[in-house]
Amino acid sequence: MRMYDLIEKKKRGEALTEAEISYMVQGFVEGEIPDYQMSAMLMAICFQGMTPDETSALTLSMEHSGDVMDLSPIQGCKVDKHSTGGVGDKTTLILAPIVAACGGRVAKMSGRGLGHTGGTIDKLESIPGFCTSLDREEFFRIVNETGLCVIGQTGNLVPADKKLYALRDVTATVDCIPLIASSIMSKKLAAGSDAILLDVKTGSGAFMKTPEEAAKLAEAMVSIGTAAGRRVVAMITEMDIPLGRMVGNALEVSEAIAVLKGGGPEDLAEVCRTLAAEMLILAGKAEPGTAARKVEETISSGRALDRLKAMIKAQGGDSSVADHPERLPKALFHHEVKAPAGGYVNHMDAEGIGLASMMLGAGRSRKEDVLDYGAGVELVKKTGDAVKAGEILAVLWAGNEGLFAEAEARLLSSYEISGCRPALRKRILAKTDVNGTRFF
Ligand code: URA
C-alpha cells in the first residue's frame, strides 16, 4: 500500500477501506507517513468528506493507536459526558455529582483549558489541595467508593489524535465534521465508559455555528459510538452566550456549587438539569418520564452537593469550600466595566469574553502559562437584559491591576447594545439519538 495512492483515491471522492485507513493512521503515528502527505489527505477529506463507515473506521484506528482504559474494576454502569467546548461551561462539576448521587458511576478524564475555552481540570485544581493526577488503582477506588472521580489524562491515550490535531490546527482542516467526530469519539471510546452523553454546542462561541451543522456532527458521533457498542445520545445546546455568569476557574466552581444548592443562574441550572436527566436515562438509573424529577430531588435533598464534597475530599481537596465558597481563591483586585450606552444587550460574543478572561490570567494563551485561579469575569448583564448608560455590565477579577485595560477593551467589544430587545434562543435546541435529530 502507498499513501500516495490513498491520497489520489480520496481526491477522486472514493471511499477508503478499513485496511487503508488503518495503514494510514498507524503509518502516521509511527512516523512513516510524513506530515506533508497527511496534510494532503486531511485537505482531501475536507473537500470530499467521508462515509459513515469510513468515519467509524478512522475513529477505531485512532482509538487503538495507544492505550485504552479498561474500567472493568469499577462496578456498575460507567457514564461519561463530553462538551464540544464553550465559555463558562462548568457543567461537569454539576452533572457528575448529580449522576453519582443517583447511582451512576462517573470515571472521568478531563482536559485543561487553552485559548478562550476553559478546562475542567483547571477549575478543579482551583480548589485548595485538589489533586487531578492519580494512578489508576486510586482512580478506580475513589469511583467505587464515592461514585465519581475526575482526573487529567493518564497514559498514552489516542496519540493519533494528538499528532493529527496539531497538523489540522496549522493546515486549516479543523472544521470538518468527519475529522472532528473521529477526534472526539476516539478519545471518548478510549476512555472506556459504557454510556456517553455528548453536549454539542452551537453558536458564536462554538465550532458549529448553526444548529443544522451541530446536528450533522451530533449524528456522526452518535452513529460512531453506537457502532462501537456504546450507548450514546447528544444534546444540542446554545453557546452564543457564555453559560452562567461566571467565567474563570474558582469563580466557576463557586457558581457550580450554587447550582448544586438549588440556586445559580437560570440558564446554567436549566442546561444542567436537562443533561443530568439524559445521563441518568443513559446509565439506566431513571426512566424518561421521571428523570427530571429525580434530578430535582437529588439537588433539593442536598445529596448532589454531598457527592461533590465526597469527591473533593477523596481527591485531597478542601471540601469545606462547598459550604464556604469564600474559601476559594479570590483575585486581589476587581474592576467594574460600565455600559457605554443604554438599551438592551443585543448580542454577546462568547469567544471574546473567554479571551478577556484569559487576558486576566484565568486561561492560557500558551500551554506553559501559569493560571491565576481567582481571575476571571463576572457577567452582570447578559443578552436580553436592559441596561442604562454607566450601569455595570461586568466585573473583572485579576491579581494585577495592569491587566484590566486590555481585558476591558476586549470585553466591551464583545457586547453589542442596541435599542431593541433581542429574541432569545432556546438553550436546549435538539436531541440526537440513533433515530436521528429531533429539534424542540
Ligand atoms: N475537539 C476535539 O477534541 N477535536 C476536534 O477536532 C474538535 C474539538
Side-chain angles (χ1 to χ4, degrees):
M1 226 179 272
R2 289 195 319 154
M3 185 64 178
Y4 179 94
D5 300 325
L6 304 189
I7 299 169
E8 187 65 43
K9 189 171 176 186
K10 183 45 71 186
K11 187 178 78 177
R12 288 195 305 268
E14 289 171 37
L16 302 173
T17 66
E18 211 179 299
E20 288 167 339
I21 289 172
S22 159
Y23 162 83
M24 170 177 97
V25 171
Q26 225 175 313
F28 182 57
V29 172
E30 285 164 9
E32 279 152 23
I33 292 174
D35 283 2
Y36 53 82
Q37 283 192 311
M38 188 50 96
S39 303
M41 174 60 86
L42 291 170
M43 193 55 85
I45 292 172
C46 284
F47 282 114
Q48 297 291 3
M50 280 187 135
T51 65
D53 283 349
E54 282 181 290
T55 313
S56 274
L58 176 60
T59 308
L60 297 186
S61 286
M62 288 170 70
E63 178 198 351
H64 293 286
S65 64
D67 299 341
V68 172
M69 284 293 275
D70 172 10
L71 298 184
S72 59
I74 299 171
Q75 293 116 38
C77 178
K78 278 76 72 178
V79 56
D80 197 356
K81 63 110 4 201
H82 177 80
S83 155
T84 58
V87 177
D89 185 350
K90 66 280 290 175
T91 54
T92 295
L93 306 180
I94 301 165
L95 300 174
I98 296 174
V99 172
C102 295
R105 292 284 174 260
V106 184
K108 189 157 174 52
M109 279 189 279
S110 287
R112 296 186 184 279
L114 189 63
H116 73 281
T117 58
T120 302
I121 290 299
D122 297 326
K123 294 172 207 200
L124 286 169
E125 284 181 349
S126 75
I127 300 170
F130 197 99
C131 176
T132 59
S133 51
L134 303 175
D135 63 33
R136 286 188 193 194
E137 283 61 42
E138 188 69 352
F139 178 51
F140 297 154
R141 182 187 66 74
I142 294 175
V143 183
N144 277 326
E145 285 176 16
T146 68
L148 73 169
C149 186
V150 183
I151 56 170
Q153 238 189 42
T154 61
N156 183 29
L157 252 64
V158 198
D161 184 60
K162 291 192 188 89
K163 271 193 95 174
L164 277 171
Y165 197 89
L167 197 56
R168 287 167 60 207
D169 212 18
V170 292
T171 54
T173 53
V174 168
D175 60 344
C176 166
I177 286 177
L179 297 179
I180 298 176
S182 53
S183 163
I184 293 174
M185 289 308 290
S186 58
K187 288 175 285 197
K188 288 289 109 182
L189 296 180
S193 282
D194 308 303
I196 304 158
L197 178 77
L198 300 165
D199 178 9
V200 181
K201 304 283 187 197
T202 179
S204 68
F207 273 111
M208 299 289 119
K209 302 296 175 204
T210 67
E212 292 71 29
E213 284 175 62
K216 281 192 200 147
L217 176 62
E219 284 163 16
M221 293 196 289
V222 168
S223 143
I224 293 168
T226 309
R230 314 290 171 94
R231 296 201 290 281
V232 188
V233 160
M235 303 301 290
I236 298 174
T237 66
E238 212 272 338
M239 189 37 81
D240 246 357
I241 312 174
L243 200 51
R245 294 196 178 270
M246 300 297 193
V247 183
N249 299 295
L251 291 169
E252 294 189 41
V253 172
S254 71
E255 194 167 60
I257 291 169
V259 172
L260 288 172
K261 287 180 175 166
E266 182 38 43
D267 63 338
L268 177 64
E270 181 194 345
V271 168
C272 286
R273 283 194 298 261
T274 307
L275 296 180
E278 291 297 333
M279 282 178 84
L280 292 183
I281 297 165
L282 269 174
K285 298 293 171 192
E287 296 301 320
T290 54
R293 211 169 56 232
K294 197 160 181 177
V295 170
E296 293 296 341
E297 282 166 10
T298 309
I299 294 174
S300 61
S301 64
R303 287 191 300 120
L305 189 67
D306 286 345
R307 282 300 93 200
L308 179 71
K309 288 184 199 168
M311 177 182 78
I312 296 175
K313 191 160 173 237
Q315 295 193 235
D318 175 4
S319 60
S320 76
V321 298
D323 294 318
H324 299 280
E326 71 281 1
R327 293 183 185 164
L328 286 163
K330 197 162 185 191
L332 282 179
F333 302 101
H334 74 279
H335 172 78
E336 293 171 350
V337 179
K338 308 276 175 64
Y344 292 94
V345 178
N346 208 36
H347 178 69
M348 292 166 87
D349 174 32
E351 185 174 337
I353 290 162
L355 286 172
S357 172
M358 185 189 85
M359 289 168 177
L360 293 167
R364 301 179 183 83
S365 58
R366 291 167 309 157
K367 265 196 205 144
E368 55 277 14
D369 288 348
V370 176
L371 299 184
D372 175 353
Y373 288 128
V377 180
E378 179 180 347
L379 301 164
V380 178
K381 298 284 180 188
K382 288 183 68 176
T383 302
D385 290 342
V387 59
K388 295 192 188 92
E391 232 186 321
I392 300 172
L393 273 184
V395 181
L396 309 182
W397 297 89
N400 172 352
E401 287 178 289
L403 299 173
F404 287 138
E406 203 189 359
E408 176 172 28
R410 194 59 157 106
L411 190 95
L412 282 172
S413 68
S414 310
Y415 269 91
E416 203 179 283
I417 297 174
S418 78
C420 49
R421 188 192 284 269
L424 288 184
R425 286 217 303 189
K426 285 181 187 149
R427 294 163 187 145
I428 318 273
L429 301 168
K431 174 174 174 175
T432 304
D433 61 18
V434 277
N435 300 315
T437 301
R438 186 165 54 90
F439 282 90
F440 301 127

